[in-house]
Amino acid sequence: MDQQLIDLLRANGRASYAELARQVGLSSPAVHERVGKLEAAGVITGYRAVVDPSSVGLDVTALIGVIESDSVDDTGLETAMREVPGIEDCWRVAGSEGYVLKVRVTDIPALEATVNALNRIRGVARTRTTVVLSTKWEGRHG
């Protein structure tokens, strides 16, 4: 039942408790209680508006791999990367790169500024940037 609610909310985070109740065959108060428990347990961590990046001027998307120097403090590196504008997502990964970042910026000069800012962070040996040409879908329900 909880998984059904999670799937429905992932598809439409604005669905009312009444609508969810109809779809899963429970009462609205029962759905409200279950969703509240999922939120309290940290399973549901928030609700967001999905915005078309280009409609807000973010026309360039890139994936940037961060290669760490040998003596790096992960916590300090992650804190510094969090402060760089334009970074939307950060994943710790296995392989030659330690992190992969999803960056959205207005244009190529802004991307260059982001890459330069990353390369100035202590603990970053170098970066590898892949510019996204087009997005076919994003997110599970994209």
Side-chain angles (χ1 to χ4, degrees):
M1 184 61 60
D2 287 348
Q3 189 60 53
Q4 277 184 282
L5 289 170
I6 291 165
D7 292 343
L8 289 168
L9 286 168
R10 287 185 71 199
N12 179 8
R14 296 184 72 185
S16 68
Y17 292 126
E19 184 178 329
L20 293 170
R22 276 192 301 278
Q23 292 186 39
V24 298
L26 293 175
S27 68
S28 290
V31 167
H32 184 267
E33 181 180 339
R34 280 181 175 267
V35 170
K37 286 181 180 178
L38 290 167
E39 291 169 344
V43 175
I44 296 174
T45 59
Y47 302 88
R48 294 169 187 79
V50 178
V51 178
D52 173 44
S54 62
S55 69
V56 294
L58 300 175
D59 293 323
V60 176
T61 301
L63 302 175
I64 301 176
V66 176
I67 295 94
E68 304 160 90
S69 59
D70 291 336
S71 57
V72 64
D73 168 22
D74 289 349
T75 305
L77 180 57
E78 290 168 13
T79 300
M81 288 190 301
R82 188 178 294 275
E83 300 302 316
V84 177
I87 297 176
E88 286 193 358
D89 296 301
C90 174
W91 298 280
R92 185 73 157 122
V93 297
S96 60
E97 297 153 351
Y99 296 89
V100 174
L101 312 173
K102 181 171 76 175
V103 174
R104 283 214 168 100
V105 292
T106 54
D107 52 25
I108 295 298
L111 177 59
E112 183 178 15
T114 301
V115 170
N116 289 339
L118 286 167
N119 281 313
R120 285 192 300 270
I121 295 173
R122 181 184 168 122
V124 173
R126 65 185 204 280
T127 58
R128 187 182 60 82
T129 303
T130 302
V131 175
V132 174
L133 297 177
S134 66
T135 301
K136 303 308 177 191
W137 77 84
E138 259 185 303
R140 188 102 176 121
H141 299 284

